[in-house]
Amino acid sequence: MDDNMLLNLALDAGEIMLAAGAETHRVEDTMERILSMGGENLPEAITFSNVLIVSIHSPLSGCLTMSRKAPSRSTDFAKICRVNDLSRRFTAGEIPIEEAYQQLYTIYNEPLFSGFLNILSYGIASGAFTLMLKGTIGDSISAFITGVLLGLFMSFLSRKNVPYFLRSLFGGAYTAIFAVLFYISGLGNQYSLIIVGSIMTLLPGVTLTNAIRDVMESNFLSGTSKIMEAFLIATSIAGGVGIVLTFYHNILSMLGGI
């Protein structure tokens, strides 16, 4: 088996899993299992927050090391499961390396859900969270509409390659604007519940969970960086909401003083 192909296959699998939100330990374990198919080559895999490094000791070429950066990150548990299943079938000898390459390429490029379903899920989640927080039906409807609009807005920012932290800032501000508008129009009773329900879709819950898992697995560097990432995203969302609400209350104070 070609050592360079094996290294690239392990990096491809690791990149997909890391970009889909897998924890560091799972990514390293999958890459090492793939590398072990090269025989007694002492496979090693290291994963940081957005960097992958794999190494094998080849009898012919000596020590071979490759690295790759995985800049994008989202949450897609289906891709993690599919790559995990593919790696198991590959290490069991059920598929050759060429077919494994082709299947990884398909997994990488094939979106799990359509854009319509993604945007609709924003609205459903926002409305459901608002109801769970004991909001009224009007609050839930307002949150649903706000969530759908937020999904469209975040999709637009993603296509424009806006940095993730700025997307969180703009998303928080966008949510607060529509929550206040629905409150003023009388459809919503509490704009705070509309905001909280809607921004639930933006919060980095998976990132924070993986950070704690990484720390428990003694991957302190990756865990710490993910904790900082989650903190900065949450701060960006709160900043966007705070700017809009401060502006809104200042206007009310000015009108009240007239």
Side-chain angles (χ1 to χ4, degrees), residues 22-83:
E23 62 270 25
T24 300
H25 176 73
R26 184 185 298 273
V27 176
E28 292 179 344
D29 180 69
T30 299
M31 292 193 297
E32 287 182 354
R33 289 178 183 272
I34 292 175
L35 293 174
S36 67
M37 291 298 293
E40 299 295 329
N41 54 11
L42 301 176
E44 295 180 3
I46 300 174
T47 304
F48 298 108
S49 59
N50 61 344
V51 176
L52 303 167
I53 302 173
V54 291
S55 175
I56 58 175
H57 296 270
S58 171
L60 299 177
S61 306
C63 182
L64 297 176
T65 302
M66 287 187 182
S67 62
R68 185 177 299 176
K69 184 178 181 181
S72 62
R73 182 175 297 170
S74 60
T75 301
D76 195 334
F77 294 122
K79 281 190 176 182
I80 297 174
C81 292
R82 291 177 66 186
V83 173

Side-chain angles (χ1 to χ4, degrees), residues 219-253:
N219 294 310
F220 298 113
L221 185 59
S222 296
T224 303
S225 64
K226 288 178 182 178
I227 289 174
M228 289 302 299
E229 178 185 353
F231 174 76
L232 289 174
I233 292 173
T235 302
S236 299
I237 297 171
V241 173
I243 290 171
V244 173
L245 292 184
T246 300
F247 185 71
Y248 170 66
H249 287 297
N250 286 339
I251 292 178
L252 289 181
S253 298

Side-chain angles (χ1 to χ4, degrees), residues 149-165:
L149 295 173
L150 178 62
L152 289 169
F153 184 61
M154 297 301 287
S155 178
F156 169 77
L157 294 180
S158 179
R159 290 197 301 270
K160 295 299 181 181
N161 294 319
V162 176
Y164 193 73
F165 297 115

Side-chain angles (χ1 to χ4, degrees), residues 65-118:
T65 302
M66 287 187 182
S67 62
R68 185 177 299 176
K69 184 178 181 181
S72 62
R73 182 175 297 170
S74 60
T75 301
D76 195 334
F77 294 122
K79 281 190 176 182
I80 297 174
C81 292
R82 291 177 66 186
V83 173
N84 186 61
D85 177 67
L86 174 63
S87 68
R88 291 180 183 275
R89 289 189 287 119
F90 174 70
T91 54
E94 298 177 8
I95 56 175
I97 190 170
E98 293 80 9
E99 184 179 344
Y101 258 114
Q102 184 60 40
Q103 291 190 25
L104 280 178
Y105 180 80
T106 302
I107 294 172
Y108 181 81
N109 290 286
E110 187 177 65
L112 180 62
F113 300 111
S114 67
F116 171 77
L117 287 177
N118 279 325

Side-chain angles (χ1 to χ4, degrees), residues 4 15 57 59 70 75 78 80 100 129 137 182 187 209 220 237 246:
N4 286 316
E15 180 182 359
H57 296 270
T75 301
I80 297 174
F129 275 120
I137 296 298
F182 282 121
L187 179 60
T209 302
F220 298 113
I237 297 171
T246 300

Side-chain angles (χ1 to χ4, degrees), residues 113-236:
F113 300 111
S114 67
F116 171 77
L117 287 177
N118 279 325
I119 292 170
L120 182 63
S121 66
Y122 271 88
I124 294 174
S126 300
F129 275 120
T130 302
L131 277 180
M132 187 180 70
L133 295 170
K134 298 183 179 180
T136 64
I137 296 298
D139 293 333
S140 180
I141 294 174
S142 300
F144 173 82
I145 299 173
T146 301
V148 170
L149 295 173
L150 178 62
L152 289 169
F153 184 61
M154 297 301 287
S155 178
F156 169 77
L157 294 180
S158 179
R159 290 197 301 270
K160 295 299 181 181
N161 294 319
V162 176
Y164 193 73
F165 297 115
L166 285 180
R167 274 185 276 166
S168 300
L169 178 68
F170 295 152
Y174 193 80
T175 299
I177 289 172
F178 280 97
V180 170
L181 289 177
F182 282 121
Y183 171 73
I184 294 174
S185 68
L187 179 60
N189 295 328
Q190 300 183 67
Y191 62 78
S192 59
L193 294 182
I194 300 173
I195 292 173
V196 173
S198 300
I199 65 172
M200 284 291 186
T201 56
L202 301 177
L203 294 178
V206 174
T207 301
L208 186 59
T209 302
N210 286 342
I212 296 173
R213 174 69 182 272
D214 287 345
V215 171
M216 294 176 65
E217 294 285 349
S218 298
N219 294 310
F220 298 113
L221 185 59
S222 296
T224 303
S225 64
K226 288 178 182 178
I227 289 174
M228 289 302 299
E229 178 185 353
F231 174 76
L232 289 174
I233 292 173
T235 302
S236 299

